[in-house]
Amino acid sequence: MRLWTLHPKYLDPQGLVALWREALLARAVLRGETRGYTHHPQLERFKAHASPRLAINAYLATVHAEATSRGYTFDRTKIGPVRPVAPISATRGQINYEWEHLLQKLAARSPALFAQWRELGRPLCHPLFHSGPGPVASWERASGGA
């Protein structure tokens, strides 16, 4: 499961579809509708939010908006209520880590998007997140933690 901290506008079609599916799975986990993935580290930041279900709905709403802007027809009824929620903190280290990870994926899967984004020095994060200083998140498996 990869719930990108990055704005979904940077994702290639495969990545955007995968994000939609994975965020819907995360929503099911947070609603207690599935037994799998209940301890997935990427869910920690949503579980720690004052309103985890509303936070994942807000996350999904942005993914849906991006998909709609590209002409995709993701089912909006799968999201649930979307209300303003407090942002989730994300470190610049985490955003940079994810950016390098995404660029590797784009280089292999979508060379045109890789060429478009590779020189971008400071990618935007998903609107649910507020970036600040700090290392890669402790829950990021490949990083070895903070």
Side-chain angles (χ1 to χ4, degrees):
M1 178 184 292
R2 168 68 60 188
L3 298 174
W4 294 96
T5 309
L6 298 169
H7 196 288
K9 73 181 185 176
Y10 302 119
L11 300 175
D12 60 347
Q14 301 94 314
L16 187 61
V17 170
L19 177 59
W20 176 251
R21 290 180 180 155
E22 291 167 4
L24 287 173
L25 173 59
R27 182 176 183 265
V29 171
L30 294 171
R31 292 171 54 93
E33 298 172 346
T34 183
R35 290 187 207 179
Y37 293 95
T38 56
H39 300 290
H40 198 285
Q42 293 246 345
L43 292 176
E44 286 180 18
R45 53 198 171 162
F46 289 92
K47 288 178 178 179
H49 193 278
S51 302
R53 292 178 182 186
L54 289 176
I56 196 67
N57 288 349
Y59 185 90
L60 276 159
T62 297
V63 176
H64 182 269
E66 178 62 29
T68 300
S69 76
R70 295 186 191 190
Y72 302 160
T73 54
F74 291 1
D75 185 356
R76 169 63 180 86
T77 65
K78 293 185 177 188
I79 297 176
V82 178
R83 297 190 181 98
V85 295
I88 297 173
S89 294
T91 63
R92 182 56 42 200
Q94 180 62 30
I95 294 165
N96 291 339
Y97 174 83
E98 288 185 20
W99 184 242
E100 292 304 316
H101 183 63
L102 178 60
L103 287 176
Q104 289 176 8
K105 288 183 173 290
L106 293 177
R109 289 192 314 225
S110 301
L113 282 178
F114 174 74
Q116 177 181 346
W117 296 124
R118 73 177 171 206
E119 298 301 323
L120 183 65
R122 194 167 176 118
L124 297 174
C125 58
H126 184 291
L128 178 62
F129 299 100
H130 171 71
S131 72
V136 175
S138 61
W139 48 259
E140 186 66 65
R141 286 184 189 165
S143 73

